Amino acid sequence: MRNLAALALILTAGTALAHGPTPQKVSQTVTIRAKPDAVWKVVGDFGGIAAWHPDVAKAEWTGGNAEGATRKVTLKSGGTLVEGLDEWKGPEHTYTYRMSDPDLTALPVSSYSATLTVTPDGDGSKVEWMGRFYRGDTGNEPPENLSDAAGREAMDRYFGDGLKGLKAQVEGGPTQ
């Protein structure tokens, strides 16, 4: 009986350790010395990301700012992000989009959705870029470069660089 209980404990522990990926979340914010409408003119165009994000070499898009619009973002470091617009609310200064096709050379994540929002903050604006994603390798034992930590680091860097670029574009300063 004792051996059976020990076997059950071992099997339960093994099952608890063997699990798939869990959703991850990153959020970055920046304060910009400009009114929300002025910030939205720069960041609110779904296809216009290459104009303000320093990591983006080019962006090609179809569908404007309508739900279902798509953009293909080519990164300077290599790789492309293919994204689809889920929701665009111009008057509320927010939009939500998701990755369509993963490219692990661009970002080490298997999927993501993100929301970018501009809100008033005193005499200026606060911009929040929040994303939810799964690591690049959704197996039980991902390699280090496709782990949860690698995904969080890459998404944090991408959002952070983008918000620095947006701030510089709107305020007229350097990106760093």
Side-chain angles (χ1 to χ4, degrees):
M1 193 57 97
R2 184 188 303 170
N3 289 342
L4 186 58
L7 179 61
L9 182 61
I10 290 169
L11 290 175
T12 303
T15 303
L17 295 175
H19 62 82
T22 56
Q24 302 295 304
K25 179 181 173 183
V26 296
S27 181
Q28 294 273 338
T29 61
V30 68
T31 302
I32 299 178
R33 292 185 315 266
K35 297 288 184 193
D37 286 342
V39 175
W40 187 248
K41 279 186 181 179
V42 176
V43 77
D45 181 15
F46 180 63
I49 190 170
W52 54 269
H53 199 304
D55 297 348
V56 174
K58 71 176 180 175
E60 303 166 84
W61 66 97
T62 61
N65 293 321
E67 290 178 19
T70 60
R71 71 182 179 193
K72 180 180 177 184
V73 178
T74 302
L75 300 179
K76 291 177 182 175
S77 62
T80 57
L81 306 172
V82 178
E83 301 167 331
L85 186 61
D86 291 332
E87 185 174 57
W88 187 88
K89 295 181 178 179
E92 288 87 17
H93 299 146
T94 187
Y95 61 83
T96 300
Y97 64 97
R98 72 183 60 247
M99 178 172 63
S100 303
D101 300 314
D103 180 346
L104 299 177
T105 61
L107 290 172
V109 298
S110 60
S111 67
Y112 63 78
S113 62
T115 300
L116 198 144
T117 304
V118 181
T119 55
D121 186 42
D123 290 338
S125 302
K126 180 177 96 174
V127 181
E128 179 182 23
W129 201 352
M130 190 273 301
R132 297 180 191 279
F133 61 92
Y134 286 94
R135 65 183 178 229
D137 182 327
T138 57
N140 287 340
E141 297 179 28
E144 186 89 12
N145 66 322
L146 299 176
S147 66
D148 289 339
R152 280 191 309 275
E153 181 180 321
M155 293 294 285
D156 266 332
R157 183 176 48 252
Y158 183 68
F159 287 1
D161 289 352
L163 292 177
K164 287 177 194 169
L166 176 62
K167 181 177 178 76
Q169 178 74 20
V170 173
E171 293 181 354
T175 58
Q176 301 302 329

Short mmCIF file of all heavy atoms in Angstrom, two decimals, residues 62-93:
data_model
loop_
_atom_site.label_atom_id
_atom_site.label_comp_id
_atom_site.label_asym_id
_atom_site.label_seq_id
_atom_site.Cartn_x
_atom_site.Cartn_y
_atom_site.Cartn_z
N THR A 62 -2.73 47.28 -45.55
CA THR A 62 -3.96 47.39 -46.33
C THR A 62 -5.12 47.53 -45.36
O THR A 62 -5.07 47.03 -44.24
CB THR A 62 -4.20 46.14 -47.20
OG1 THR A 62 -4.32 44.99 -46.35
CG2 THR A 62 -3.08 45.92 -48.20
N GLY A 63 -6.14 48.23 -45.77
CA GLY A 63 -7.35 48.34 -44.97
C GLY A 63 -7.43 49.56 -44.06
O GLY A 63 -8.39 49.70 -43.32
N GLY A 64 -6.40 50.41 -44.09
CA GLY A 64 -6.44 51.62 -43.27
C GLY A 64 -6.56 51.32 -41.79
O GLY A 64 -5.83 50.49 -41.26
N ASN A 65 -7.53 51.96 -41.14
CA ASN A 65 -7.77 51.75 -39.71
C ASN A 65 -9.07 51.00 -39.45
O ASN A 65 -9.61 51.07 -38.34
CB ASN A 65 -7.77 53.10 -38.98
CG ASN A 65 -6.40 53.74 -38.98
OD1 ASN A 65 -5.39 53.06 -38.83
ND2 ASN A 65 -6.36 55.04 -39.15
N ALA A 66 -9.54 50.27 -40.44
CA ALA A 66 -10.77 49.49 -40.28
C ALA A 66 -10.44 48.14 -39.65
O ALA A 66 -9.36 47.58 -39.87
CB ALA A 66 -11.44 49.29 -41.63
N GLU A 67 -11.38 47.63 -38.87
CA GLU A 67 -11.19 46.29 -38.31
C GLU A 67 -10.91 45.32 -39.45
O GLU A 67 -11.55 45.39 -40.49
CB GLU A 67 -12.44 45.87 -37.53
CG GLU A 67 -12.61 46.66 -36.26
CD GLU A 67 -13.87 46.28 -35.48
OE1 GLU A 67 -14.41 45.18 -35.71
OE2 GLU A 67 -14.28 47.09 -34.65
N GLY A 68 -9.94 44.45 -39.25
CA GLY A 68 -9.53 43.52 -40.29
C GLY A 68 -8.37 44.02 -41.14
O GLY A 68 -7.84 43.27 -41.95
N ALA A 69 -7.96 45.28 -40.95
CA ALA A 69 -6.79 45.79 -41.66
C ALA A 69 -5.57 44.97 -41.28
O ALA A 69 -5.53 44.38 -40.20
CB ALA A 69 -6.57 47.27 -41.31
N THR A 70 -4.60 44.92 -42.17
CA THR A 70 -3.38 44.17 -41.87
C THR A 70 -2.16 45.05 -42.14
O THR A 70 -2.19 45.97 -42.95
CB THR A 70 -3.26 42.90 -42.74
OG1 THR A 70 -3.25 43.27 -44.11
CG2 THR A 70 -4.41 41.94 -42.46
N ARG A 71 -1.08 44.73 -41.42
CA ARG A 71 0.20 45.38 -41.68
C ARG A 71 1.30 44.34 -41.57
O ARG A 71 1.23 43.41 -40.78
CB ARG A 71 0.45 46.57 -40.76
CG ARG A 71 0.73 46.22 -39.32
CD ARG A 71 0.93 47.48 -38.48
NE ARG A 71 1.17 47.13 -37.08
CZ ARG A 71 1.12 48.00 -36.08
NH1 ARG A 71 0.83 49.27 -36.30
NH2 ARG A 71 1.36 47.59 -34.84
N LYS A 72 2.32 44.54 -42.42
CA LYS A 72 3.51 43.71 -42.38
C LYS A 72 4.64 44.64 -41.99
O LYS A 72 5.00 45.55 -42.74
CB LYS A 72 3.78 43.07 -43.73
CG LYS A 72 5.01 42.19 -43.77
CD LYS A 72 5.19 41.60 -45.15
CE LYS A 72 6.47 40.78 -45.21
NZ LYS A 72 6.69 40.28 -46.57
N VAL A 73 5.19 44.43 -40.80
CA VAL A 73 6.23 45.28 -40.24
C VAL A 73 7.57 44.57 -40.40
O VAL A 73 7.76 43.47 -39.88
CB VAL A 73 5.95 45.56 -38.74
CG1 VAL A 73 7.05 46.40 -38.13
CG2 VAL A 73 4.58 46.23 -38.56
N THR A 74 8.49 45.19 -41.13
CA THR A 74 9.84 44.64 -41.30
C THR A 74 10.76 45.33 -40.31
O THR A 74 10.84 46.56 -40.28
CB THR A 74 10.34 44.87 -42.74
OG1 THR A 74 9.42 44.26 -43.65
CG2 THR A 74 11.73 44.26 -42.93
N LEU A 75 11.41 44.54 -39.48
CA LEU A 75 12.29 45.08 -38.46
C LEU A 75 13.71 45.28 -39.00
O LEU A 75 14.17 44.50 -39.84
CB LEU A 75 12.33 44.16 -37.24
CG LEU A 75 10.99 43.92 -36.55
CD1 LEU A 75 11.16 42.98 -35.37
CD2 LEU A 75 10.36 45.23 -36.12
N LYS A 76 14.39 46.30 -38.50
CA LYS A 76 15.77 46.57 -38.91
C LYS A 76 16.69 45.42 -38.53
O LYS A 76 17.66 45.14 -39.21
CB LYS A 76 16.25 47.88 -38.28
CG LYS A 76 15.58 49.10 -38.84
CD LYS A 76 16.02 50.36 -38.14
CE LYS A 76 15.28 51.57 -38.71
NZ LYS A 76 15.61 52.81 -37.96
N SER A 77 16.38 44.73 -37.43
CA SER A 77 17.20 43.61 -36.97
C SER A 77 16.92 42.32 -37.73
O SER A 77 17.59 41.32 -37.52
CB SER A 77 16.97 43.38 -35.48
OG SER A 77 15.61 43.03 -35.25
N GLY A 78 15.93 42.33 -38.60
CA GLY A 78 15.55 41.15 -39.36
C GLY A 78 14.21 40.61 -38.91
O GLY A 78 13.79 40.82 -37.78
N GLY A 79 13.55 39.94 -39.78
CA GLY A 79 12.25 39.35 -39.47
C GLY A 79 11.11 40.31 -39.74
O GLY A 79 11.31 41.52 -39.92
N THR A 80 9.92 39.74 -39.80
CA THR A 80 8.72 40.54 -40.06
C THR A 80 7.62 40.15 -39.08
O THR A 80 7.54 39.01 -38.63
CB THR A 80 8.19 40.33 -41.49
OG1 THR A 80 7.93 38.94 -41.69
CG2 THR A 80 9.16 40.83 -42.54
N LEU A 81 6.80 41.12 -38.77
CA LEU A 81 5.62 40.92 -37.94
C LEU A 81 4.40 41.14 -38.82
O LEU A 81 4.24 42.22 -39.40
CB LEU A 81 5.61 41.92 -36.78
CG LEU A 81 6.86 41.95 -35.90
CD1 LEU A 81 6.79 43.11 -34.91
CD2 LEU A 81 7.03 40.63 -35.19
N VAL A 82 3.56 40.13 -38.94
CA VAL A 82 2.32 40.26 -39.69
C VAL A 82 1.21 40.39 -38.67
O VAL A 82 1.02 39.50 -37.82
CB VAL A 82 2.09 39.06 -40.63
CG1 VAL A 82 0.78 39.20 -41.37
CG2 VAL A 82 3.25 38.91 -41.61
N GLU A 83 0.51 41.52 -38.72
CA GLU A 83 -0.46 41.85 -37.68
C GLU A 83 -1.80 42.25 -38.29
O GLU A 83 -1.84 42.83 -39.37
CB GLU A 83 0.07 43.00 -36.82
CG GLU A 83 1.40 42.67 -36.17
CD GLU A 83 2.12 43.86 -35.58
OE1 GLU A 83 1.95 44.99 -36.10
OE2 GLU A 83 2.86 43.66 -34.60
N GLY A 84 -2.86 41.93 -37.56
CA GLY A 84 -4.21 42.29 -37.99
C GLY A 84 -4.87 43.17 -36.95
O GLY A 84 -4.75 42.93 -35.75
N LEU A 85 -5.57 44.18 -37.41
CA LEU A 85 -6.26 45.13 -36.53
C LEU A 85 -7.60 44.55 -36.09
O LEU A 85 -8.45 44.23 -36.91
CB LEU A 85 -6.46 46.46 -37.27
CG LEU A 85 -7.04 47.62 -36.48
CD1 LEU A 85 -6.13 48.00 -35.32
CD2 LEU A 85 -7.23 48.82 -37.40
N ASP A 86 -7.77 44.39 -34.79
CA ASP A 86 -9.02 43.86 -34.24
C ASP A 86 -10.02 44.97 -33.95
O ASP A 86 -11.22 44.79 -34.18
CB ASP A 86 -8.75 43.09 -32.94
CG ASP A 86 -8.00 41.80 -33.18
OD1 ASP A 86 -8.12 41.23 -34.28
OD2 ASP A 86 -7.29 41.36 -32.27
N GLU A 87 -9.52 46.08 -33.43
CA GLU A 87 -10.43 47.15 -33.03
C GLU A 87 -9.68 48.48 -33.06
O GLU A 87 -8.56 48.57 -32.57
CB GLU A 87 -10.94 46.87 -31.62
CG GLU A 87 -11.98 47.82 -31.10
CD GLU A 87 -12.52 47.37 -29.76
OE1 GLU A 87 -11.72 47.21 -28.81
OE2 GLU A 87 -13.74 47.20 -29.67
N TRP A 88 -10.28 49.49 -33.67
CA TRP A 88 -9.70 50.83 -33.73
C TRP A 88 -10.77 51.82 -33.28
O TRP A 88 -11.84 51.88 -33.87
CB TRP A 88 -9.23 51.14 -35.14
CG TRP A 88 -8.47 52.42 -35.29
CD1 TRP A 88 -7.14 52.59 -35.14
CD2 TRP A 88 -8.99 53.71 -35.62
NE1 TRP A 88 -6.79 53.90 -35.36
CE2 TRP A 88 -7.92 54.62 -35.66
CE3 TRP A 88 -10.27 54.20 -35.90
CZ2 TRP A 88 -8.06 55.96 -35.97
CZ3 TRP A 88 -10.43 55.54 -36.19
CH2 TRP A 88 -9.32 56.40 -36.22
N LYS A 89 -10.49 52.53 -32.21
CA LYS A 89 -11.43 53.51 -31.66
C LYS A 89 -10.75 54.87 -31.64
O LYS A 89 -10.13 55.26 -30.65
CB LYS A 89 -11.86 53.12 -30.25
CG LYS A 89 -12.64 51.83 -30.16
CD LYS A 89 -13.02 51.55 -28.72
CE LYS A 89 -13.83 50.28 -28.61
NZ LYS A 89 -14.17 50.01 -27.20
N GLY A 90 -10.85 55.59 -32.77
CA GLY A 90 -10.21 56.89 -32.90
C GLY A 90 -10.61 57.89 -31.83
O GLY A 90 -9.75 58.51 -31.20
N PRO A 91 -11.91 58.07 -31.58
CA PRO A 91 -12.31 59.07 -30.57
C PRO A 91 -11.80 58.74 -29.16
O PRO A 91 -11.56 59.65 -28.37
CB PRO A 91 -13.85 59.01 -30.61
CG PRO A 91 -14.17 58.48 -31.98
CD PRO A 91 -13.05 57.53 -32.31
N GLU A 92 -11.59 57.46 -28.87
CA GLU A 92 -11.07 57.05 -27.56
C GLU A 92 -9.55 56.92 -27.57
O GLU A 92 -8.94 56.57 -26.55
CB GLU A 92 -11.71 55.72 -27.10
CG GLU A 92 -13.16 55.86 -26.69
CD GLU A 92 -14.09 55.70 -27.88
OE1 GLU A 92 -13.67 55.17 -28.94
OE2 GLU A 92 -15.26 56.12 -27.78
N HIS A 93 -8.93 57.14 -28.73
CA HIS A 93 -7.47 57.06 -28.88
C HIS A 93 -6.91 55.70 -28.46
O HIS A 93 -5.95 55.62 -27.69
CB HIS A 93 -6.78 58.17 -28.09
CG HIS A 93 -7.15 59.55 -28.52
ND1 HIS A 93 -7.24 60.59 -27.65
CD2 HIS A 93 -7.47 60.06 -29.73
CE1 HIS A 93 -7.59 61.69 -28.29
NE2 HIS A 93 -7.73 61.39 -29.56
#
